[in-house]
Structure formats: C-alpha cells, structure tokens
Amino acid sequence: DVLVRQSASGKHAYQWTEPNIYQIRYFKTSAHHRDEVVTVKTPAFAESVTEGDVRWEKAVGDSVSEDEVVCEIETDKTSVQVPAPAAGVIEELLVPDGGKVEGGTPLFKLRKGAVAAKAAPSQATDAPPPAAETSPPPAAPAATPPAPPPQPAQPKPGVRITMTVVSCVQVKMNRMRLRIAQRLKEAQNTCAMLTTFNEVDMSNIHELRKLHKDAFLKKHETKLGFMSAFVKAAAHALIDQPAVNAVIDDTTKEIVYRDYVDISVAVATPKGLVVPVIRNVETMNFADIEKAINALGEKARKNELAVEDMDGGTFTISNGGVFGSLFGTPIINPPQSAILGMHGIFDRPVAVNGKVEIRPMMYVALTYDHRLIDGREAVTFLRKIKAVVEDPRVLLLGM
C-alpha cells in the first residue's frame, strides 16, 4: 500500500513507500509564481549603437498584458520597443523618462500575475447625510458693509491700450532628430556640394503604368509605381558613371569604387527621416524593387526598422514629390557622394517636335560632392536617368 499525504499549504507531500521510510517531494504551485517580481533590462543594441533615451508608455501601478509595450528606447537611428515579459503590474520604474540607457541596463520591475488595485470608494459618497438642524442658527451680528474696491484709473481720451499674449512650447529634440541634424551639418562641412537639374517627361511611364498595372498586380501581388522606374534608372546610371557610386576615404585619401549598387530610399516618419537600403539593385527588376520598397515602407510605418536595414547604401533617392514639392536641392547623405531628388509631377507646356504640348513633367535634381564628381559625370548621370525613365526600353538595348 502507498499512502500519500498533502499538507494544507500545498507546499510538499509525504509519500510512504516502506515502513519507517519517508520521502519528501517538493513542488511549486501557480500561486507561488503569481506575485513574483522580475526586473526587465534594456535589450542589446546593434553594434553601431551604444545608448538610447527612454520614453515611458506605462506608469507605476499600471496593469499590462504579456507583450504589451511598456517603454520605447530612442536611438540615433531607430526606436526599440520593450514589451512586458508577462501579464502583471508595473512595480517600479528604474530609469526616469528621457534617461539614457545602455544594453543590459535595468529598466523596470514587474509583479507577474498581479492586477492593479481599484480606487477605494469615496467616503463622502458613502457617509450618511447630516441630520437637519432643529432650530435656526443664531443671527450673525450686523456687519459694516465693505468699502467698494478702488476703480482702476481710466485712460486718457485718445489713448488705446493693447495687450498681446505670446505663447510658445519647447520640446526636447529626440535622439533621431539630433542625429539627423548632426549628419546634415557634417555633410555641409565636409562635401563640396553642387546641384545640377533636369526635367523628365513622364508621359511614357504614365502610359506604361496605365496599360500594365492590373496585370502587374495580378502576377506580382504588388502595385506598379513610379519609384521602381527611378530606382532602376539610378542603378543603370551608377554602373555607367562609377564615380557617382564611389566615395572618398578621408583617412587614407583614397577613392573607393563599388561594384554593387545599394540605394537608400528616404522615408519620412513622425519621428524623423529614415533611409532604409535596397541592396544589389543592379540585379533586380521592377517587381523586385517594388516589393522591396513596400516591405521597407511597411516596417517604417510600424516602427520596426532595424539598424541593419539602414546601414550602408551607396546612393540615396529622396522623393519630395509625394508632398507636392516642385523644386529643391537635396543634401548628401554621408558617407555617400550624391543624392537624387525627385519632385512633383505637374502638367506644363513643353516644346515637342516644334510644337507646344501639355505634358506631365517632373523636375529632378542631383546634388553631388564636387571633390570627387566633375560636372561632366553629374550631367551625364542625370541625363541617363532621364533617358531610362522617359523610355524604359533603353534598358533592354543596354544603352
């Protein structure tokens, strides 16, 4: 016979296997883990990131579910969300809002399984109303009426008094905005920037998209846009003009030429400008480019871009046309040597075969480092972009 006995606390059990021989078997119940307090630490950053600023989404005493975001750590390149490892209540915040943290820094304490306490009912609500007075209170002694307040001095006739209230709000710059400002200023201080312009007739690419957009969507499950034409045209022009795809190594005073094309595409987010990279564009077709752009854009909107998504890049394309820009001069994204600025598409009168016609036109701008790239290469590069976008068939002919 085997006799099993369990204590009232449920913490251990006695098992009788032989006369006068007892075995004690310990175990833990779910109640033991329910009030366990765990300390959540800062996740490890990418190799090029050393620290970040904490922005709290929750406060002490707040209930959180498993994987609910408790805080966000802003670095100079991206934001890292820190979720709760389990459901519970925030016990303590170990870093102030806006405080700097490194990988492994303790962030907050979480009491697992707990639930935030409800607010106690107001005593004023539950207390019984006071009993009515049985007799009226004694009359207060007569008081001398207060003296009337002094009247403000009246302005003299013909004098007008005007009061203006000026209000302003000061907001601390986040880490990403500070880094953007620093990099742009470094580009101005380092590069000998010069900008050249051209215009692109978008009639053919409009017609191409109109004819094939439905079949393209059905086959590739992605929409055919204008961005893929410019990205592919840029890759074609960068192979033709390798100096635009190169960079100056200021340490060794050498020019580094790349035999690959990684194009950074500037994306505006509420927190600042990010530039995820489409890699090896020289090997991609229009469908591959559109899928890559959509995937990176979706990650940017969800704030899921990793540092690895933005590292590298040999050339940048910035599309201000989505905001209605007509004309502008972009700033180089260091350590690159050039950037292409796209702008809005507007109907304009242009001369075509000796006649004036209304065409959908776009101004394009190339800002380049004149220390490395001469005007001849820059103008030739921009004309190559114009030729490919206006007639994508030149890609098939290798022209």
Side-chain angles (χ1 to χ4, degrees):
D1 294 335
V2 177
L3 177 62
V4 178
R5 236 185 214 173
Q6 183 170 341
S7 66
S9 64
K11 297 299 182 183
H12 57 269
Y14 298 93
Q15 183 177 4
W16 179 29
T17 57
E18 295 181 12
N20 301 326
I21 298 177
Y22 293 88
Q23 290 182 352
I24 300 177
R25 302 173 64 188
Y26 293 93
F27 59 90
K28 296 179 180 180
T29 65
S30 59
H32 174 80
H33 290 284
R34 186 168 56 225
D35 292 332
E36 181 183 357
V37 177
V38 295
T39 300
V40 179
K41 297 182 179 181
T42 304
F45 296 136
E47 184 177 351
S48 60
V49 177
T50 59
E51 62 180 15
D53 296 334
V54 176
R55 184 170 61 82
W56 291 105
E57 301 284 348
K58 301 292 182 181
V60 174
D62 286 353
S63 293
V64 292
S65 57
E66 185 175 356
D67 294 330
E68 186 175 358
V69 176
V70 178
C71 68
E72 201 170 73
I73 301 175
E74 294 181 343
T75 70
D76 55 3
K77 292 188 175 181
T78 186
S79 295
V80 180
Q81 294 181 336
V82 181
V89 172
I90 304 297
E91 184 91 352
E92 183 181 0
L93 303 182
L94 304 177
V95 179
D97 192 57
K100 292 182 174 59
V101 293
E102 300 177 352
T105 302
L107 285 172
F108 63 93
K109 291 184 178 181
L110 174 73
R111 185 172 294 277
K112 296 168 64 175
V115 179
K118 296 182 179 179
S122 173
Q123 294 181 357
T125 305
D126 299 335
E133 296 288 345
T134 57
S135 60
T144 305
Q151 296 294 326
Q154 296 296 325
K156 297 180 180 180
V159 178
R160 176 178 296 175
I161 299 178
T162 304
M163 297 181 64
T164 304
V165 179
V166 179
S167 178
C168 62
V169 178
Q170 291 180 301
V171 179
K172 181 182 178 181
M173 292 178 69
N174 62 43
R175 208 170 256 273
M176 186 182 296
R177 176 59 60 186
L178 286 170
R179 182 59 175 160
I180 292 171
Q182 178 187 353
R183 286 173 60 83
L184 293 179
K185 195 58 186 175
E186 284 177 358
Q188 287 184 323
N189 294 339
T190 303
C191 300
M193 288 195 289
L194 185 60
T195 304
T196 185
F197 304 91
N198 214 315
E199 59 181 358
V200 179
D201 186 342
M202 301 293 289
S203 300
N204 284 341
I205 199 71
H206 260 297
E207 189 66 22
L208 176 70
R209 183 173 180 269
K210 181 179 179 181
L211 289 174
H212 301 291
K213 64 179 182 179
D214 293 334
F216 189 91
L217 177 61
K218 183 177 180 180
K219 181 174 182 178
H220 301 292
E221 298 182 348
T222 187
K223 292 182 179 180
L224 176 61
F226 298 125
M227 198 67 183
S228 55
F230 279 92
V231 171
K232 188 61 182 177
H236 182 66
L238 289 167
I239 296 297
D240 184 73
Q241 298 293 323
V244 184
N245 200 44
V247 66
I248 294 177
D249 188 332
D250 289 310
T251 304
T252 62
K253 305 302 180 184
E254 295 176 340
I255 300 175
V256 180
Y257 290 94
R258 287 90 160 230
D259 60 356
Y260 58 91
V261 176
D262 290 351
I263 294 184
S264 306
V265 179
V267 178
T269 70
K271 294 182 179 179
L273 191 71
V274 293
V275 279
V277 181
I278 307 174
R279 306 189 188 280
N280 299 314
V281 183
E282 75 279 5
T283 65
M284 302 171 73
N285 57 29
F286 278 43
D288 296 331
I289 295 171
E290 289 291 353
K291 290 177 182 178
I293 292 174
N294 289 338
L296 292 171
E298 186 68 18
K299 292 178 73 173
R301 283 188 291 271
K302 293 181 178 179
N303 197 26
E304 295 177 352
L305 282 175
V307 176
E308 293 77 12
D309 294 324
M310 296 178 282
D311 271 348
T314 62
F315 183 77
T316 295
I317 297 179
S318 177
N319 185 9
V322 295
F323 306 110
S325 169
L326 173 66
F327 211 73
T329 57
I331 299 178
I332 294 173
N333 177 24
Q336 300 171 13
S337 298
I339 179 173
L340 176 69
M342 298 169 55
H343 299 93
I345 302 172
F346 300 97
D347 288 341
R348 293 201 304 271
V350 293
V352 180
N353 297 324
K355 297 180 180 179
V356 176
E357 296 186 11
I358 303 298
R359 294 289 183 94
M361 304 296 294
M362 176 195 289
Y363 287 120
V364 290
L366 179 74
T367 299
Y368 58 97
D369 188 349
H370 207 1
R371 299 178 304 161
L372 171 62
I373 304 167
D374 294 331
R376 180 184 62 181
E377 284 95 354
V379 173
T380 304
F381 176 89
L382 209 51
R383 290 185 61 187
K384 184 73 67 174
I385 294 236
K386 172 183 171 69
V388 172
V389 175
E390 289 186 343
D391 188 359
R393 293 174 296 180
V394 301
L395 293 173
L396 300 176
L397 302 175
M399 299 173 61

